[in-house]
């Protein structure tokens, strides 16, 4: 899964720019600033990371079911986990 890190602890700020984040193309390890908030491509994360984060009591887990997106909120960051599209050969 692709991980995009959003550096804010404010859910309101995060939700205001969420759709724009999803529309913004990011190269691996690239950072961009959207409405004053730093957004970074954090590369790929394994499924074990997702399982470990779900088990931590300090992590809030949110789900966008229609798009199979998982969002973690912890500390002063949000992590958006997006499944990679499979390419058909």
């Amino acid at each position: 899964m692709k991980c995009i890190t959003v550096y804010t602890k404010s859910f309101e700020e995060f939700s205001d720019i969420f759709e724009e984040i999803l529309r913004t193309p990011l190269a691996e390890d690239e950072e961009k600033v959207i409405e004053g908030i730093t957004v970074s491509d954090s590369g790929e994360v394994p499924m074990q990371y997702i399982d470990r984060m779900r088990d931590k009591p300090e992590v809030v887990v949110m789900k966008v079911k229609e798009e199979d997106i998982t969002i973690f909120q912890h500390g002063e960051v949000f992590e958006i986990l997006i499944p990679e599209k499979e390419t058909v050969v």
Side-chain angles (χ1 to χ4, degrees):
M1 296 196 107
K2 178 180 179 172
C3 181
I4 298 173
T5 304
V6 182
Y7 295 92
T8 181
K9 61 182 176 181
S10 168
F11 181 76
E12 184 177 348
E13 290 177 346
F14 172 77
S15 60
D16 285 348
I17 64 171
F18 178 72
E19 292 297 327
E20 187 172 349
I21 293 168
L22 295 182
R23 289 190 307 268
T24 302
L26 291 168
E28 191 168 333
D29 297 324
E30 180 182 10
E31 281 189 1
K32 288 190 177 181
V33 176
I34 300 173
E35 294 187 29
I37 297 171
T38 303
V39 176
S40 172
D41 180 298
S42 299
E44 295 290 317
V45 295
M47 289 303 291
Q48 296 89 341
Y49 175 77
I50 295 168
D51 294 336
R52 280 196 319 267
M53 292 300 281
R54 282 189 174 137
D55 291 340
K56 293 184 176 191
E58 68 274 12
V59 176
V60 176
V61 181
M62 295 165 269
K63 197 84 168 133
V64 180
K65 290 183 180 179
E66 311 82 57
E67 301 177 48
D68 197 27
I69 293 173
T70 301
I71 301 167
F72 294 138
Q73 179 186 13
H74 56 96
E76 297 190 8
V77 300
F78 286 83
E79 292 178 313
I80 305 170
L81 305 172
I82 304 169
E84 288 292 325
K85 303 278 189 236
E86 293 182 20
T87 54
V88 179
V89 180

